[in-house]
Amino acid sequence: MTEPDIVTVESGKSGASGLRLVLWLLVGLAAITGVAIAFGRQQPAEQSTQIDLGGPFKLTASNGSPYSEQNLAGKPFAIFFGFTRCPDVCPTTLARMARLRQALGKDGDKFAIVFVSVDAGRDKPAQVGAYTQLFGTPIVGLTGTEAQIAAITKEYRVFFEKVPIAGGDYTIDHTASVFLMGPDGHFQSIIDHDENDQSALAKLRRLIA
Amino acid sequence: MKYLNIAAIAVLASVAAAPALAHGYAKGALSIDHPWARETAPGQTVGGAFMTINNKGKQDDRLVSANSAVAGEVQIHTVSMTGGIMKMRQLTNGLPIPAGKSVTLKPGGYHVMLIGLKRPLQRGASIPLTLHFSRAGDVKVELAVQAVTSSAPMDMRHD
């Protein structure tokens, strides 16, 4: 019975290299998943239930009163981070959220739209309030101290960075995704900046289901 | 002159074809369609303006700068998305308008940024803006201020 032995050895060898390949594929997959999560581009909502994102926060509402995650308890919400002097992506995103809410009809008020400023220096409650009022739908506009904003952006893994522009002014690079949070305050899914309305609506319907 | 006529005809044609708000401008080989801006909130000191710039000529042009009576400073910017992060950058060398091409400034891409607004941009208002091109020279346009919820010029929308 020497022949089967040889066969066994050979298949063992190819099995080892096959296993190595699988392991490398897993490493690659893990790396891709890690990058995807790090950049907040998690696509399917089903996969994302284990992701620990969000949490308690202390900020200030546009009327100047304290506002925390407790104010949202029991209600799903869509949360977006930006700044009022952002001329492009922020109004585009908030306008879209307003439009999607409208598309949901009477279910549209089953979730809150939350806008958190990452510009502690310039966005005082009054500015945030005037800004969110432009969109023709109730939007919870929040701002806070630098430390408070640092805390909530860390929880939501939101990137932001001030970038000086000519003339002594600055703009802010920031994560442009909308995070959908369930009524228990847990992360459910993300609406990406470049995601189509149909897909975004489906996620919102799941959020309020 | 020939190009100006073509541009003028194109503008007239677009005015005739579209609802009342359509507006356009022409100078030399350039024509500018539907310049518009988003309304801003009281206290908001920055606004974005958008338009389509067509170059019907045989030579490249470049939008080098702009100015407006309502803003302390006007810059030309581009927005890019990398890994879900929005980055806005000034085009310090201006925006090329290649020969025979159209360049659209729109939300999520190129825009003219009005910085240090002296008063809010109110919906329905008309805001003067002078565009400086390296070849065509200065073109004065009026920005139609639209609702913040607009993502395209109203006169281009079909809803």
Side-chain angles (χ1 to χ4, degrees), chain B residues 5-16:
Chain B
N5 283 341
I6 292 168
I9 289 163
V11 168
L12 284 174
S14 72
V15 168

Side-chain angles (χ1 to χ4, degrees), chain B residues 4-122:
Chain B
L4 185 64
N5 283 341
I6 292 168
I9 289 163
V11 168
L12 284 174
S14 72
V15 168
L21 277 164
H23 64 305
Y25 303 84
K27 186 171 185 199
L30 297 186
S31 64
I32 292 140
D33 297 335
H34 317 291
W36 65 286
R38 276 190 170 126
E39 68 179 323
T40 60
Q44 196 185 338
T45 53
V46 167
F50 313 94
M51 67 199 73
T52 297
I53 304 169
N54 312 293
N55 183 355
K56 296 180 182 74
K58 290 190 166 62
Q59 286 170 308
D60 294 345
D61 208 334
R62 182 178 290 268
L63 174 60
V64 284
S65 62
N67 67 282
S68 171
V70 304
E73 176 154 356
V74 180
Q75 295 181 359
I76 304 152
H77 282 229
T78 183
V79 166
S80 67
M81 296 292 282
T82 316
I85 293 161
M86 183 282 297
K87 290 176 193 252
M88 192 175 79
R89 293 291 179 273
Q90 185 182 7
L91 296 172
T92 45
N93 293 321
L95 175 62
I97 315 291
K101 300 270 196 244
S102 291
V103 177
T104 298
L105 289 75
K106 62 180 181 197
Y110 301 121
H111 62 256
V112 170
M113 185 156 151
L114 308 168
I115 302 165
L117 287 175
K118 290 162 187 163
R119 53 180 186 271
L121 305 180
Q122 283 187 314

Side-chain angles (χ1 to χ4, degrees), chain A residues 76 107 110 183 188 202-209:
Chain A
D107 285 343
K110 287 185 178 169
Q188 203 177 84
K203 287 178 179 177
L204 283 174
R205 288 206 177 93
R206 270 204 299 274
L207 182 72
I208 58 178

Side-chain angles (χ1 to χ4, degrees), chain A residues 109-171:
Chain A
D109 58 11
K110 287 185 178 169
F111 73 101
I113 300 173
V114 182
F115 170 77
V116 180
S117 172
V118 294
D119 192 356
R122 280 171 167 162
D123 282 345
K124 302 305 170 197
Q127 265 89 47
V128 174
Y131 182 69
T132 50
Q133 266 177 17
L134 283 179
F135 297 88
T137 191
I139 294 176
V140 179
L142 303 175
T143 186
T145 63
E146 271 185 39
Q148 288 172 329
I149 290 170
I152 188 170
T153 50
K154 194 178 171 204
E155 282 181 338
Y156 280 85
R157 298 180 213 175
V158 163
F159 169 89
F160 73 100
E161 185 177 53
K162 272 190 200 177
V163 179
I165 56 175
D169 209 333
Y170 62 84
T171 180

